[in-house]
Amino acid sequence: MSQPGIPASGGASTGLQAQNGAASASGSPYTNGPVQNALMSSQVSVSQGYNSQLPGSYPHLIPAKTLNPVSGQSNSGGSQTVSPLSNYQGPGQALYGPPVASHPVTPSLRSGPSPQMPLPTSQNPAATPMPSGSFLPGASVPSPSNWQYNYLSQTNHCPRVSSQSTMTGNTNLMSPQYVSSGDSSLQNNIIKSGITSNTNNGSMVVHNSYDEIEGGGFLATSQPTNKNPTMSRSVGYSYPSLPPGYQNTTPSTTGTGIPPSSLNYPSGPQAFTQTPLGANHLTASMSGLSLHPEGLRVINLLQERNMLPSTPLQPPVPNLHEDIQKLNCNPELFRCTLTSIPQTQALLNKAKLPLGLLLHPFKDLVQLPVVTSSTIVRCRSCRTYINPFVSFLDQRRWKCNLCYRVNDVPEEFMYNPLTRVYGEPHRRPEVQNATIEFMAPSEYMLRPPQPPVYLFVFDVSHNAVETGYLNSVCQSLLDNLDLLPGNTRTKIGFITFDSTIHFYSLQEGLSQPQMLIVSDIEDVFIPMPENLLVNLNESKELVQDLLKTLPQMFTKTLETQSALGPALQAAFKLMSPTGGRMSVFQTQLPTLGVGALKPREEPNQRSSAKEIHLTPSTDFYKKLALDCSGQQVAVDLFLLSGQYSDLASLGCISRYSAGSVYYYPSYHHQHNPVQVQKLQKELQRYLTRKIGFEAVMRIRCTKGLSIHTFHGNFFVRSTDLLSLPNVNPDAGYAVQMSVEESLTDTQLVSFQSALLYTSSKGERRIRVHTLCLPVVSTLNEVFLGADVQAISGLLANMAVDRSVTASLSDARDALVNAVIDSLSAYRSSALSNQQPGLMVPFSLRLFPLFVLALLKQKSFQTGTNARLDERIFAMCQVKNQPLVYLMLTTHPSLYRVDNLSDEGAISINDRTIPQPPILQLSVEKLSRDGAFLMDAGSVLMLWVGRNCGQNFLSQVLGVENYALIPQTMTDLPELDTPESARTIAFISWLREQRPFYPILYVIRDESPMKANFLQNMVEDRTESALSYYEFLLHIQQQVNK
Ligand SMILES: [Zn+2]
C-alpha cells in the first residue's frame, strides 16, 4: 500500500501546531491560519483564494519545520545553458506558420521554421537507439507502435525553436521592461483609445511578452554569478553550527549514528553542508525502504488479480526524510511520474517508464500563504523563487536548489515578519511553504493590470433557438451577475450571430440596449468603438434588460446559417485592447464566412481505429486562437449540438488560447432536461470560479533535468514559457522530461512552477509550487517510486498526441507497449529470480489495469458507437483535466450502495458521508439483489438489480417495487429515512468534489442505459476488447518472450 501520509492532508493541523512550537514561543506562530497580528497582516496575509468555490478543496497545511537539503556538486558561478532539445514545443503545440498579423503589435510568437533541428540521437550520449516495436527512448525514427519518452521525434511536426531575438527576457534580465504606472487614468486612456502597445519608454518591443518579467529560464548571460567562488568554501566551514538553526525546531539528529564529519560531501564551494539533514537523508534512503515492506513486494498479477484497493489510491510518498517530505508540495497540485528520479538518462531508459510532471497549479485552495514584500527573492542565475529546498550557507547567502548558484540574502529578507526576529531568513514563509503566492511588484507588469473583461458570444440561429439554451444561459448569467469575479472595473459585453453579427450598445443612460447589426461578414468591423464592452456596475440594469429579452428576441428566426468565424473575429477585435475571457456558445457546424466547416463524420468510420478525422480541417481556429493569445484573450467554447460539429477544428480556438471546451451533446430544453440541469450547474461554477488574466507559467527543474514537451491548453511562447491568457482553477497540465546531464552528484532534485497572473481584483500575483524528490541510482529504486496514476495520466496525454499525429491504432499499440516494455525491463533487470507468471513491482501493480482502462476509454476505444465529437471531447478532457478527474473518467469507481452504513463514514460540516469500499470493475462484483453506483467522473450510474431488496427500493428510491422504478430517473427523492439520507449524502459528496456536474442515471436491469454501465466494466470482455485477464496473458506472453 502506498503511504497515505501526505503532509498536506487534513489531519496535519495538529502536527502543525506541535511543530510550530518554536515560532509560537516568539508569539507569532505561522500556521497558514487567520492573520494573527497587525504586523503579519501587513506582510503576510492568508488568502482564501478569490471565490474559492470548491468545497472539497484540501486544507493546504504545511508544517513549519524545515531542514535544508544537501545540495550536490556545486556549480555556483555557472549558469546553465538550455539544451536545444528543451526548446521544442510539444507536439500539440507546434506552430506551423506565423500567426495572422492582423494587429500592429507583433506578438512574441515564434514564426517560421527554425534552422535548428533536433539533435541526432548520436549526439546525446543518453539516448540509445532502441529496436522498434517498443516504447523506448532514443530511437531516432519513431516506429509506428511506440513513442519516445524523451524527445520529440514522435511528432510529425517539425519542432520550432524560438529565435534568440525574441527571447528578450533571457538576455535582458537586469533591466526588465515594464510599465509600472499604476495610474488609473493611464489605464483608462489605454482602454478608451484602444492602445494595445502602451509603452512608456519606447523600448518595449512587444507588450505581451511576459518572458522578461517572469524571468527567463537559465540565463545564458555572462553576468558574474558568484563574485568570489572560493569564498564560499572557506566561509562555509566556518559556520558549521548554523544549519540546524535554520530549522524551526531543535535539530533532528534521529540517532543515525553517522557523525556528520564522516559523510563524504563533494568538495567544492558547497562544502559547507547541512550536516543533520545529510545524515537524515541518507538514513531515509535506507530506512525508507524498510518502512514500506508492502512496497517491496513482487506480485504475480496472474495469481493476484484483485490489486485494486478498496479506498481511493493514494500517490506514493517520495522516499525523503520526513522533515523534507513534510514541506513538500501537495501531490494534488504537483506530482511526478517517478517519485525517485533516476540519476542518468541511461537508467531512465532502462526503466522504460515516462518521466514527467502533472500539475494542477491554480487549484482552489482553502488556505494559501500570500506574501507581500517589496523584494521577491529569486536566484540571480536561473530565476528560481526561494523555496523550502534551498540551502542557506549562512545567514547572508543561500544556494539555489535548481542551479546551485550561491545568492545573497537581501537585507529585507533578513527580517522575519512572522517571528519579528531579525536574522531568520530561513524561517520566512517563502522558505517554509512549498506552495505560496506573492503579490508581484510593478516589475512583473508589462502594462497596468487590465480590468476583468467578459464577452459572451451567442449563436442565435434557428438551430440554437430550437435547443432553448439561451433561456438557461441568460438566466444563469442573471443569477450570477453579481458573483462574476471582478471589481468596480469589471467590463461585460455581448455579441449574437447567425448569418450576420449583432452587437449591443449598453451605454449608461440608454433606456434600453441598442442592437447593431453588421451584415458584412467578409470584412468584419466593430460598429462603434465604445459602449459595446461596458462597465458592469454602471450599466448593470441595461445588461439585465438584455439578458431578460435576449431569449425572446430570436424565437421567430428562420435563419439557419452560422457565421461563427466572423463572429469570433469581431469578438477578438472588441477584446484586443484589454484581453479577457470570451465565452462562445455554438450549436451547430459553422456554415458561413471564414472558418466554415463541412461535415466529415462518416458513421461507418466510428468503429474503426483507422482513418478518422482527429485533426482540424482548417487552421483558421488555431490561427485566431494564437491572435487571441497574443492579446491576452482566452476563448471558452460551449458546444451544444446533437449534430456533428467538427469539434476537432472548433476546439483549437480554446486549446491554443488557454480556454476550455464544454460539450453538451443533444442539448434540448425539453427533450433532455438533465443536460439543462448539467449546463446550469456547470455555468454557475464557470461564471463564479476564480480566474486569472494575463497569465504565464514557467516550470523549472534542477540542472541536469530538461523539460521537453508540454500538454494542456496554452501556447508555448518563448522557449518554455506557457502563455495563458486566462488561467482557471479546473485546468491541469502535464510535461515530459528527460535527464540531460547525470545527476550522480546530487541527492535531491526540485521542480518549481511559477504562475504569474492578474487577479480579478487587478492584483498581479505569482503562485509558486516547489516539489522536491530524491535521486536514485538503481533500477529497483526507480520502480519502487513509480507513481502509476501519474504515469497513466502522462501516457494518456502522449497517446492523444499520437492519435492525432499518427493514428488511433498507433496510439493504442503504444499504450500496450508501454506496459510490456516497462514490465519486461523490470523482469530482466530488476527481478533477481526469474519466476513464471507476470511479475510486477508493487508500485506498478495497477499499471496493466489502468492501461487497459485507457484502451477502453472514450478517447481511445474502438468498436463502439462513440461519435467523433464525443471522442474528440474526451481527448480534450485528457489534455485539460487534472489527473484526479482523468483517472476517474478512465477507471471509474464502483460502489455497492444498497447497504450503506456509517461504518468508516467521514463527517463534513455535521454531515455523515458513508465511504463504501471501491469494487473491481467486473460484473462478477455485481449481484442482482443489490444496487451499485458507478462514478465515472462526469456521469454517475446507479444500477439497480432485479432482486434488489425492498428496503432500498422504498427507503431510497421511493418506489413500492422494482417494476415501478421509472424508465428515466435522474434524481433521487429526498425521503425521511436514514437510507435515503446516506445515499444522497454520498452522491452529493461525490459531486461536490469536482468542478463539473455529473448527471445521475438510475438504471434498471432492462434499461438501454445498462449498456453504458457495462461499457465501463473495464475488467470484462467486450466484443472488441480483451478482458483484464486476457490482457494480462497477452502482456505476460510479450514480457516473457
Ligand atoms: Zn538558480
Side-chain angles (χ1 to χ4, degrees), residues 38 57 60 130 134 228-229 384 468 680 687 753 802 806 829 837 904 952 970 976 981:
S57 303
H60 193 84
M130 295 291 183
S134 60
N228 191 353
T384 291
Q680 278 173 343
L687 293 170
S753 75
R802 179 62 75 88
S829 306
F952 184 77
T970 56
D976 194 14

Side-chain angles (χ1 to χ4, degrees), residues 78 218 378-385 398-407 700:
F218 290 101
R378 301 174 64 180
C379 174
R380 284 167 59 89
S381 251
C382 70
R383 307 302 290 148
T384 291
Y385 295 80
W398 63 278
K399 186 157 77 180
C400 176
N401 51 330
L402 270 66
C403 75
Y404 309 128
R405 176 187 165 130
V406 175
N407 291 276
R700 296 177 168 87

Side-chain angles (χ1 to χ4, degrees), residues 242-281:
L242 264 174
Y246 293 125
Q247 301 145 30
N248 270 1
T249 55
T250 41
S252 164
T253 46
T254 326
T256 63
I258 307 174
S261 57
S262 74
L263 294 171
N264 282 327
Y265 293 106
S267 60
Q270 90 303 341
F272 173 82
T273 49
Q274 276 98 45
T275 39
L277 173 70
N280 288 341
H281 176 67

Side-chain angles (χ1 to χ4, degrees), residues 35-298:
V35 173
Q36 306 253 340
N37 58 44
L39 179 72
M40 272 181 69
S41 68
S42 70
Q43 288 282 334
V44 178
S45 62
V46 172
S47 164
Q48 300 291 334
Y50 343 109
N51 286 308
S52 177
Q53 293 290 325
L54 207 58
S57 303
Y58 75 98
H60 193 84
L61 296 172
I62 301 172
K65 182 177 174 185
T66 183
L67 282 170
N68 297 291
V70 172
S71 297
Q73 190 70 49
S74 165
N75 191 27
S76 61
S79 61
Q80 185 177 4
T81 322
V82 179
S83 149
L85 285 170
S86 65
N87 288 347
Y88 304 147
Q89 303 167 48
Q93 291 285 310
L95 176 62
Y96 284 112
V100 178
S102 60
H103 40 277
V105 180
T106 311
S108 65
L109 306 174
R110 265 159 286 182
S111 61
S114 155
Q116 282 178 273
M117 289 298 289
L119 283 178
T121 48
S122 60
Q123 289 184 15
N124 187 328
T128 0
M130 295 291 183
S132 65
S134 60
F135 229 160
L136 311 177
S140 52
V141 179
S143 98
S145 59
N146 75 81
W147 63 62
Q148 299 163 3
Y149 289 135
N150 307 300
Y151 303 108
L152 284 189
S153 49
Q154 79 268 22
T155 170
N156 295 337
H157 299 185
C158 176
R160 300 290 188 263
V161 179
S162 61
S163 70
Q164 286 297 322
S165 60
T166 64
M167 295 167 62
T168 53
N170 281 358
T171 54
N172 191 18
L173 173 81
M174 298 313 288
S175 56
Q177 297 158 339
Y178 59 93
V179 176
S180 61
S181 170
D183 181 359
S184 60
S185 65
L186 173 63
Q187 293 162 22
N188 289 336
N189 284 338
I190 292 161
I191 294 156
K192 284 181 180 156
S193 59
I195 295 170
T196 56
S197 176
N198 53 325
T199 64
N200 64 353
N201 55 13
S203 66
M204 192 162 58
V205 183
V206 285
H207 89 272
N208 60 350
S209 170
Y210 285 90
D211 201 19
E212 57 263 50
I213 53 174
E214 202 284 323
F218 290 101
L219 287 177
T221 60
S222 58
Q223 60 167 293
T225 49
N226 187 352
K227 286 169 191 151
N228 191 353
T230 56
M231 178 75 175
S232 52
R233 174 186 289 186
S234 55
V235 172
Y237 279 117
S238 64
Y239 287 88
S241 60
L242 264 174
Y246 293 125
Q247 301 145 30
N248 270 1
T249 55
T250 41
S252 164
T253 46
T254 326
T256 63
I258 307 174
S261 57
S262 74
L263 294 171
N264 282 327
Y265 293 106
S267 60
Q270 90 303 341
F272 173 82
T273 49
Q274 276 98 45
T275 39
L277 173 70
N280 288 341
H281 176 67
L282 288 182
T283 311
S285 300
M286 294 175 282
S287 68
L289 304 184
S290 59
L291 282 175
H292 316 293
E294 182 81 26
L296 291 174
R297 270 181 65 202
V298 177

Side-chain angles (χ1 to χ4, degrees), residues 808-829:
L808 194 58
S809 54
D810 197 29
R812 290 171 53 87
D813 290 347
L815 283 170
V816 177
N817 287 338
V819 179
I820 293 169
D821 290 345
S822 62
L823 297 187
S824 298
Y826 179 72
R827 182 182 179 85
S828 60
S829 306

Side-chain angles (χ1 to χ4, degrees), residues 658-778:
S660 316
V661 174
Y662 293 78
Y663 183 42
Y664 305 87
S666 311
Y667 183 94
H668 194 278
H669 65 119
Q670 282 170 335
H671 305 155
N672 205 343
V674 287
Q675 288 275 22
V676 177
Q677 187 188 17
K678 183 175 170 67
L679 176 64
Q680 278 173 343
K681 297 274 187 190
E682 294 185 351
L683 267 180
Q684 182 180 17
R685 164 76 185 166
Y686 172 77
L687 293 170
T688 60
R689 72 185 177 187
K690 186 172 47 182
I691 181 169
F693 298 96
E694 307 177 293
V696 289
M697 182 165 73
R698 176 168 267 134
I699 302 161
R700 296 177 168 87
C701 47
T702 292
K703 178 177 155 54
L705 293 167
S706 164
I707 294 171
H708 58 75
T709 303
F710 300 90
H711 300 276
N713 289 1
F714 48 73
F715 175 64
V716 183
R717 203 174 272 155
S718 56
T719 318
D720 54 353
L721 191 73
L722 307 188
S723 169
L724 303 163
N726 288 181
V727 60
N728 74 70
D730 304 329
Y733 306 87
V735 301
Q736 289 166 248
M737 293 187 298
S738 54
V739 185
E740 294 227 316
E741 294 170 38
S742 164
L743 300 166
T744 41
D745 291 331
T746 185
Q747 294 174 309
L748 300 171
V749 289
S750 298
F751 309 89
Q752 185 175 77
S753 75
L755 176 71
L756 172 63
Y757 69 99
T758 301
S759 80
S760 56
K761 308 289 182 214
E763 300 153 335
R764 205 71 177 136
R765 289 171 169 244
I766 310 159
R767 185 170 299 185
V768 177
H769 306 289
T770 312
L771 173 70
C772 179
L773 294 175
V775 175
V776 297
S777 58
T778 69

